[in-house]
Amino acid sequence: MTSDHWIAADWGTTNLRLWAMRGAEMVHQRASARGMGGLNRTEFAQVLADETADWAEWAGAAIVACGMVGSRQGWHEAPYAKAPTLAQTPLANVPGTRVWITCGVSQDDPADVMRGEETQIAGLLAARADFEGVVCLPGTHTKWAHISAGEICSFQSFMTGEVFELLAGKSVLRHTVASSCATEEEAFDAAVNDALAQPHRAYGRLFQLRAGALIGDLSPETARSTLSGLLIGWELAGAKPYWLGQEVALIGAPALAALYARALRHQGVQVSEADAEAATLAGLHRAWKRIGETA
């Protein structure tokens, strides 16, 4: 392409993040609550125009997006690339526009899908081309992906973040768990260990959080840290074939990634942490450079 101006977009279900880019350099950024989930297919173009209207220097520039904008319910369905596949997945152009969407990744057995995480993995590999191991992407639906030779070989999703929000915000535990607080490390560590060592017994500890607050002195802060530790511990038990004996690279929000890093390091796992925004932009930059090849 003759211009080095382009726009990067991470368009999820609830939020839209935009960056005005000059090559690999981020010049402006913007966040909006106008996520895919609140839009119909005819509204995406106008939202994009509204959110970038004051970026005059980027008028007419190519836009590269990742995330749920490419889902069946999004602006334009970007087909899945089947694992094993290169993390740098193909691009799908929204007809009649200058917008390209990165394709997600699917897996047949066991059935699984990802959208957006593949772009972050591609961004990690842009910085660490020789990475061999496992990438963990904590979030609402945490992904564990085995990476070899630049490919996503297999992956597994865990609904840990969503389950935490449901239990803490919708269940009887909403009366017991603090809405937010700094993690009490001792309570978190003990819960992770319990869930890993005896997952079936630790399951019974969920209601004990409520009972401990009613008839004991369990604080809301301790309850929140314990709930977090139990759920992450159960996830680690289920994901053990991925992390055991592997290096794990974490890509996620700093506070959440720090909990996963703590839990994994206590199991003797070698852990590295990557900035989620930087990984997203690096992956989208790699995709932008391929638009000329795709057109």
Side-chain angles (χ1 to χ4, degrees), residues 88-152:
Q88 195 173 356
T89 57
L91 295 167
N93 176 246
V94 179
T97 75
R98 63 185 190 279
V99 178
W100 281 261
I101 301 174
T102 61
C103 292
V105 179
S106 68
Q107 180 177 272
D108 289 337
D109 187 19
D112 214 330
V113 294
M114 67 168 70
R115 281 198 186 277
E117 293 90 354
E118 75 295 323
T119 301
Q120 293 184 316
I121 293 171
L124 172 73
L125 294 177
R128 299 184 61 185
D130 60 347
F131 178 81
E132 297 274 338
V134 170
V135 177
C136 174
L137 303 105
T140 303
H141 300 150
T142 299
K143 311 289 184 183
W144 292 80
H146 175 223
I147 308 300
S148 180
E151 288 192 337
I152 300 173

Side-chain angles (χ1 to χ4, degrees), residues 236-253:
L236 293 189
K240 195 170 185 178
Y242 277 88
W243 55 261
L244 187 63
Q246 297 282 347
E247 177 189 353
V248 174
L250 285 164
I251 306 174

Side-chain angles (χ1 to χ4, degrees), residues 7 15 43 66 70 144 209 231 246 288:
I7 294 173
N15 296 291
E43 295 176 312
C66 66
W144 292 80
L209 296 177
L231 294 178
Q246 297 282 347
W288 168 72

